[in-house]
Amino acid sequence: MSERILIGVAWPYADGPLHLGHIAGAYLPPDIFARYHRIKGDEVLMVSGSDQHGTPITIKAEQEGKKPGQIAAQYHQQFLDSWRKLGISFDLFTTTGTANHAEVSHDIFLTLLNKGYIYNSTMLQPFCPQCQRFLPDRYIEGTCPYCCSSEARGDQCDECGKPINPVELIDPHCRFCGAAPQFEHTEHFFLRLSAFRDALLAWVKQQTHWRKNVLNFTIRYLEEGLKDRAITRDIDWGVPVPLDGFGTKRLYVWFEAVIGYLSATKEWAKSSGDEEKWRSFWQGEAKSYYFIGKDNIAFHTIIWPAMLMGYGNLNLPYDVPANEFLTIEGKKLSTSRHWAVWLSDYLSRYDPDPLRYLLSINMPETGDTDFSWREFVRRNNDELVATYGNLVHRVLTFVYRSFDGCVPVPGEFDSRSQALLDKAEDTLKAMDGHLYRCQFKEAIRLAMSLAQETNRYLDEKSPWKIIEQNRQASATALYIAISVLSCLRIALYPFLPFSSQKLHEYLGFEGKVEDYGWKPNPPSPGQKLLPPKPLFSKLDEGLIEEETSVLGLPDS
Ligand SMILES: [Zn+2]
Ligand SMILES: [Zn+2]
C-alpha cells in the first residue's frame, strides 16, 4: 500500500555558502529518503527554502554594504545551483521572502493570538548605548547560562543546542562595538509555550521510534519546564506583525521560519493547479519527517509541534531524524576559522556521487563523524571504483563484446548462483527496512556487501576464462551477475542517483530508474545493452595534500 510522505528539510540561512557539514547533517539524508519513497511508488513531497530573514542576513549585508534582499537572493541562487549539481531533489525549494509565506505566517500568528496562545507583554531587551539600537538575537553574544560556552548568542547556544533569551546570557556584549548592553523594556508578543508542556511531554514519550539522541534531548528539555518565548523583534527586516501599531517590529525568525514547511506545501499546491492539495499532506493520512542538524532539535520537536497543536487540525511530526555533526580532518567545523569544505568548491572539481557515497557510508547518524580528504580518496578508489565500479565495468564490457551487446541467455542455475540471486533479493528487503527507519548508513553498507559478494562469485565462476570451453556456463554466470547489477542500480539509486541512472541505461532499460520500483527487476535475456563506460574514476592521491593545505585559509 502506498504511503504519503511529507519531507521537511531545514531552511538554510541565505547568509553564506553551504559546506559539507550542512550536507551530511540535513540535506543528503532527506534526499536519500525521498528517492527511496519515490522509487517505492509512495507519494512524496520534499520541501524547503532559503531562510531570507533574521539577523545572520542583516549582519552579512551590513558587512558587505549591500541590502539584505540582495544577499538573500544571491545565496538562494547558489543553493538552487548546488541542489541541481548534487542531485538534491526538492519538489519545491522556495524562500521565506514570498507573499504566500507572509500570508500563512500571519494566519498562524492571528489564530494563535485569538486562541490565547500568543499574548503581548513587555520584555527586557538589550539596547546598545554605543550603537543606539536594540540588539536582536545574533547582535548580542555572551556566555551560555546552561553550559558556560563563551560563544553563545542571544537566540541560541550552538554548543549545547539550547534556545536562550538574551537576558539570560552571562557577560553579554554587543557584537559590533563590544559594549555591554543595557536592558530596556519594550513591548513584544510571546508564544505561550508553557501551556503546551504537558501535552508535548505526553506526545513525545509515545515517539519511541525516534532516534535516542532526539528523544532524550527533547524529554530532558521538557522535564526542565518550558518558558514562554518572545516571537517578535525590534528589527525592520522580516515578516511584519499583522497588527496596527507594530510597524517597527517583525516576527522573530525562529517563529516564522518553521511555518515555511506549511507555507511551502501551500505554494506547491497552488503551482500544481490544485490549491487544496496541501491538505492531504497536513490533515490527511500522511507522515511528516523533518530532517535537520542536532542544533535544530528543539525547534522541531517542541516549538513547531506546540504551534501546530495550538493552531489545531494539522499533523504533528512523525519523525525528526536529526543528525549529529561532521568534523573536518578531526577538527570541529568552523566557518569563521575557514575550517570547512565548501560544497560549490567540491562540485566545481569532483563528481557528485563520490561525495554522496562518503557522506552516506560515514553519516553522522548517531554520533559525530569525520570527513578527511584521505578518507574521501580511499573510499572512492577502494570501494566505489574497486568494489562496485570495476564490477559493473568488467561484466558489462565483457558481455557487450562477447554476447553481441545483449544480455546473455542463461542455462540452469546451480545452487551457488541461486544463492547469490536470493542474497540480492534479501538485500533489497533488508535495505527497505533500514531506509524506512532512516538508517541510511546500514542500508548502503548492505548494498556494498552485495557488490563484494558478487565479485567473489565471479572470481569463483571466472566466466571470462571458461567462455571458450563452456559458453553456456559463462553465459549463466554473467546473466546472474547482470541480474545483481540490475538489483544494485535500484538499491544504490537513493544514494548514488547519477551512476545508478547510467547503469540503468547501460543495462538497456529505458526511462528513469525511479519508475522501476523497489524490486530486483532482472533484465530479460537478449535485452540490448548500451556501450558501457566506467561509472567512476580513480582519484589521484595528490589531491589530498592539495585540498588539506587550503583548509583554514581565508578564501582567495
Ligand atoms: Zn550552552
Ligand atoms: Zn554596540
Side-chain angles (χ1 to χ4, degrees), residues 143-149 152 156-162 164:
T143 299
C144 172
Y146 301 101
C147 74
C148 296
S149 155
Q156 180 169 14
C157 170
D158 279 343
E159 195 62 37
C160 66
K162 292 203 169 142
I164 290 175

Side-chain angles (χ1 to χ4, degrees), residues 40-77:
K40 278 182 68 172
D42 291 332
E43 197 183 334
V44 174
L45 179 65
M46 174 159 116
V47 294
S48 182
S50 51
D51 188 341
Q52 306 226 323
H53 299 138
T55 45
I57 306 212
T58 54
I59 288 175
K60 183 87 170 187
E62 279 176 37
Q63 283 166 348
E64 296 193 4
K66 291 183 180 159
K67 295 218 163 74
Q70 283 175 291
I71 297 284
Q74 172 194 333
Y75 286 110
H76 182 68
Q77 273 315 312

Side-chain angles (χ1 to χ4, degrees), residues 198-482:
D198 294 349
L200 283 169
L201 194 56
W203 168 70
V204 167
K205 283 186 171 168
Q206 291 164 15
Q207 311 306 315
T208 47
H209 57 283
W210 286 9
R211 288 184 182 167
K212 283 231 154 32
N213 54 343
V214 177
L215 191 61
N216 293 342
F217 175 90
T218 307
I219 290 176
R220 248 193 341 266
Y221 195 96
L222 287 167
E223 281 176 343
E224 285 170 15
L226 212 46
K227 286 185 208 138
D228 296 350
R229 293 192 75 195
I231 57 163
T232 47
R233 276 295 181 262
D234 296 285
I235 189 173
D236 59 7
W237 176 244
V239 175
V241 178
L243 294 169
D244 290 339
F246 294 91
T248 60
K249 298 178 199 286
R250 294 290 180 270
L251 295 183
Y252 199 177
V253 70
W254 65 257
F255 173 81
E256 164 252 301
V258 286
I259 297 173
Y261 300 115
L262 178 61
S263 66
T265 311
K266 291 190 172 183
E267 184 183 335
W268 164 82
K270 274 180 206 158
S271 65
S272 81
D274 177 1
E275 213 171 305
E276 295 300 304
K277 211 163 145 189
W278 70 272
R279 294 185 193 278
S280 61
F281 284 99
W282 283 92
Q283 297 179 324
E285 273 287 308
K287 285 180 178 164
S288 44
Y289 291 78
Y290 294 85
F291 286 85
I292 56 169
K294 71 173 163 189
D295 50 339
N296 245 329
I297 294 175
F299 292 99
H300 292 81
T301 61
I302 295 170
I303 291 172
W304 179 229
M307 290 162 66
L308 292 168
M309 283 177 177
Y311 187 91
N313 196 25
L314 293 174
N315 293 347
L316 295 178
Y318 174 77
D319 200 359
V320 184
N323 268 356
E324 305 278 314
F325 290 145
L326 185 75
T327 56
I328 303 287
E329 303 282 349
K331 280 197 234 169
K332 194 175 165 183
L333 197 150
S334 161
T335 55
S336 57
R337 287 190 288 271
H338 310 285
W339 198 260
V341 178
W342 304 107
L343 180 63
S344 52
D345 284 352
Y346 173 91
L347 291 170
S348 70
R349 292 198 276 278
Y350 309 104
D351 290 335
D353 276 357
L355 179 65
R356 294 181 62 115
Y357 176 70
L358 174 59
L359 296 183
S360 298
I361 202 135
N362 193 28
M363 191 173 278
E365 276 175 8
T366 53
D368 295 354
T369 58
D370 188 52
F371 172 91
S372 73
W373 285 104
R374 180 167 298 284
E375 182 76 349
F376 170 69
V377 170
R378 186 187 72 76
R379 294 270 193 188
N380 180 77
N381 291 357
D382 295 358
E383 298 177 9
L384 220 39
V385 174
T387 303
Y388 176 47
N390 284 354
L391 165 67
V392 171
H393 200 60
R394 66 178 174 150
V395 169
L396 291 186
T397 46
F398 188 72
V399 168
Y400 195 80
R401 230 180 22 237
S402 313
F403 292 87
D404 290 330
C406 294
V407 175
V409 180
E412 222 167 283
F413 302 164
D414 61 11
S415 62
R416 177 70 175 101
S417 301
Q418 190 57 51
L420 182 61
L421 286 183
D422 292 346
K423 184 180 162 96
E425 202 168 338
D426 292 346
T427 299
L428 273 188
K429 271 191 207 135
M431 286 180 72
D432 187 21
H434 288 297
L435 285 164
Y436 195 82
R437 294 190 294 274
C438 301
Q439 296 160 347
F440 304 115
K441 210 176 184 164
E442 182 57 15
I444 193 171
R445 202 191 58 74
L446 291 175
M448 291 308 284
S449 128
L450 176 61
Q452 268 167 355
E453 182 60 24
T454 311
N455 278 317
R456 276 195 291 271
Y457 170 84
L458 287 171
D459 289 346
E460 288 164 32
K461 297 285 183 188
S462 317
W464 7 86
K465 282 190 203 143
I466 60 168
I467 190 160
E468 297 301 330
Q469 318 85 289
N470 191 345
R471 190 171 173 83
Q472 185 62 85
S474 173
T476 305
L478 289 164
Y479 176 80
I480 298 286
I482 282 194

